[in-house]
Amino acid sequence: MLDRFKIDSHKLSYHIPRLHQWLQGKNIYPIYVEIGLFRGCNHRCIFCAFDFLKYKPQTLDTQRVKKFILQAKAKGVKAILYSGEGEPLLHKDAVEIIRFTRQAGIDVALASNGVMMNPEIAMKIIPSLSWLKISLNAGTRTTYIKVHKARRGDFDLVLRNLKAAVAIRNKYGYSCTIGAQSVLLTDNFYEMEKLAKKLRALGVDYLAIKPYSWHCFSRNKLKVNFQQPDLLALQKRLQRYSAGKFAVIFRSNAMAKMNEEKPYLSCLGFSFATHVADTGNVYPCTVFIGNKKFRFGNICTDSFKKIWEGKLRKRVLKELYRSWDIQRCRGSCRIDEINRYLWELKHPVEHVNFI
């Protein structure tokens, strides 16, 4: 199925100048930053990767994050995703921060469960967003309650909020892409067609279906009871729902790699992306949230320049390359495709001039 957004791949090849600097051994600043605005959540999804953080409410200070945004822009950061360890819209200033990010000249996106994204909020943030992605992991109310551990009315509320967001986007001609994502589980496997049908009717741009991937520190560890033939059959059935502007993006590439060993020995993508947690701590990625051993610094006490160019980050990266077993990382890591690309650039095959 057409993946015009390259969700199942990577887009690093569109940033050749930064890539060239990296190949020259320069300490480049990231292109992309993910920020966790708020640790608490109004759901307790059975696949949640951050359950080990215990959902203890933690809010990233608004003025500190604004200061970081301006510093990030000055250092060449091009995009910020508000997602992270909890539901970002639970942050009281989430709307203000999203709009500030766009006004600063940085592309901004939001990943949310959609419960709090009512029409009033959608009207305020959609003009600023490059894309909005809603985590929606069921095709029926009953399964949604089970998977999300949500309130009885939340499934219908999220669908209404999506419908309103699409209507606002279309009415005013905003460029925001509006999509949904499902983690494929035993509980929702046979509901993906129902969900695709509902979302297409709402005018959503896409439904992305990704494999379940266990976070190495998560207490939740689910088993799935479907095999490769089941996945191929589901992918084929879902093809008929991709029509017009709506696409079902079945992440077959990510699914095919779930049980294979990573073909690279270390993560090279740390230079191009990073994560700011709700505490203000900066980590290489979401795998290390809460682990002080792998903390680069904190935006509430230090400038982005000091964090990124400082001795602490250098020590952390040295330790990561020395001791971290890359096979412990999630099977469906967001940076996996980037790592494969970078590793091949660093370790080219024979006869590369015969293009």
Side-chain angles (χ1 to χ4, degrees):
M1 299 171 203
L2 180 64
D3 180 9
R4 65 182 185 272
F5 306 109
K6 296 182 77 70
I7 292 174
D8 204 26
S9 182
H10 74 90
K11 297 184 276 287
L12 192 56
S13 54
Y14 294 101
H15 299 277
I16 298 300
R18 198 82 56 104
L19 183 59
H20 180 62
Q21 291 175 329
W22 177 80
L23 285 168
Q24 291 178 316
K26 296 181 180 179
N27 180 29
I28 63 167
Y29 277 81
I31 296 168
Y32 162 83
V33 177
E34 182 175 333
I35 297 179
L37 289 178
F38 191 83
R39 179 169 296 183
C41 193
N42 47 1
H43 285 175
R44 295 290 185 272
C45 298
I46 62 174
F47 59 85
C48 179
F50 301 114
D51 60 326
F52 67 95
L53 296 173
K54 301 179 181 179
Y55 306 101
K56 183 180 179 180
Q58 174 73 44
T59 302
L60 185 57
D61 181 76
T62 300
Q63 297 308 313
R64 293 293 184 179
V65 74
K66 283 184 175 182
K67 186 175 181 180
F68 170 79
I69 288 165
L70 296 177
Q71 293 172 351
K73 171 61 179 177
K75 293 300 182 181
V77 170
K78 295 181 179 298
I80 290 177
L81 167 64
Y82 292 108
S83 178
E85 306 85 78
E87 169 52 49
L89 290 180
L90 284 171
H91 191 294
K92 64 181 180 63
D93 295 326
V95 170
E96 179 184 342
I97 291 170
I98 288 169
R99 296 170 76 172
F100 182 88
T101 307
R102 183 66 213 134
Q103 290 165 3
I106 296 178
D107 293 341
V108 56
L110 173 69
S112 166
N113 61 34
V115 171
M116 297 185 65
M117 196 197 65
N118 57 49
E120 181 181 357
I121 289 178
M123 180 69 79
K124 293 177 180 178
I125 64 174
I126 285 179
S128 298
L129 293 175
S130 294
W131 54 264
L132 166 69
K133 182 169 63 182
I134 300 301
S135 178
L136 188 52
N137 300 279
T140 65
R141 298 181 188 92
T142 301
T143 302
Y144 184 87
I145 292 170
K146 181 180 180 181
V147 172
H148 284 252
K149 293 187 179 180
R151 296 176 302 179
R152 185 167 297 277
D154 279 359
F155 180 72
D156 294 292
L157 175 61
V158 171
L159 292 180
R160 290 197 302 272
N161 286 343
L162 270 171
K163 183 178 181 179
V166 170
I168 291 168
R169 189 268 310 272
N170 293 347
K171 179 178 179 180
Y172 295 100
Y174 297 132
S175 60
C176 176
T177 298
I178 300 174
Q181 176 176 275
S182 280
V183 177
L184 198 58
L185 308 168
T186 300
D187 295 284
N188 65 18
F189 185 87
Y190 292 103
E191 294 190 0
M192 291 298 100
E193 290 175 84
K194 291 181 179 179
L195 180 58
K197 186 176 180 179
K198 286 182 170 69
L199 292 174
R200 186 175 67 176
L202 293 177
V204 170
D205 295 304
Y206 69 86
L207 166 63
I209 299 174
K210 63 179 287 187
Y212 166 72
S213 176
W214 181 63
H215 187 293
C216 58
F217 297 116
S218 176
R219 298 175 181 180
N220 295 323
K221 193 170 186 179
L222 306 181
K223 292 184 178 181
V224 294
N225 62 2
F226 41 82
Q227 304 297 324
Q228 190 65 19
D230 303 312
L231 294 172
L232 292 173
L234 177 60
Q235 183 180 16
K236 186 175 181 179
R237 293 197 302 272
L238 286 167
Q239 285 178 349
R240 59 179 174 167
Y241 294 96
S242 290
K245 294 182 179 180
F246 179 75
V248 178
I249 302 169
F250 194 84
R251 296 193 56 185
S252 53
N253 185 32
M255 292 179 189
K257 298 181 296 184
M258 284 299 296
N259 297 316
E260 71 175 39
E261 191 171 281
K262 297 185 187 300
Y264 44 89
L265 300 182
S266 59
C267 183
L268 302 176
F270 290 150
S271 296
F272 297 90
T274 199
H275 183 90
V276 180
D278 46 62
T279 56
N281 285 331
V282 182
Y283 297 100
C285 72
T286 57
V287 168
F288 303 104
I289 293 173
N291 191 330
K292 293 182 180 180
K293 182 179 179 181
F294 297 113
R295 181 181 71 93
F296 289 159
N298 190 292
I299 68 168
C300 297
T301 57
D302 297 312
S303 69
F304 190 32
K305 175 181 171 63
K306 183 177 179 180
I307 292 169
W308 205 254
E309 299 181 16
K311 294 180 180 179
L312 178 58
R313 178 171 172 267
K314 291 177 181 177
R315 288 200 301 268
V316 169
L317 290 177
K318 184 177 180 179
E319 178 64 20
L320 278 170
Y321 294 138
R322 185 189 69 83
S323 65
W324 181 256
D325 180 7
I326 200 69
Q327 305 304 331
R328 291 183 65 190
C329 290
R330 303 180 74 172
S332 182
C333 169
R334 179 175 292 167
I335 306 179
D336 177 70
E337 281 295 313
I338 289 175
N339 276 328
R340 290 169 185 258
Y341 177 65
L342 294 175
W343 190 263
E344 187 173 349
L345 288 177
K346 286 283 191 179
H347 305 84
V349 297
E350 294 182 275
H351 317 306
V352 295
N353 293 331
F354 294 87
I355 59 174

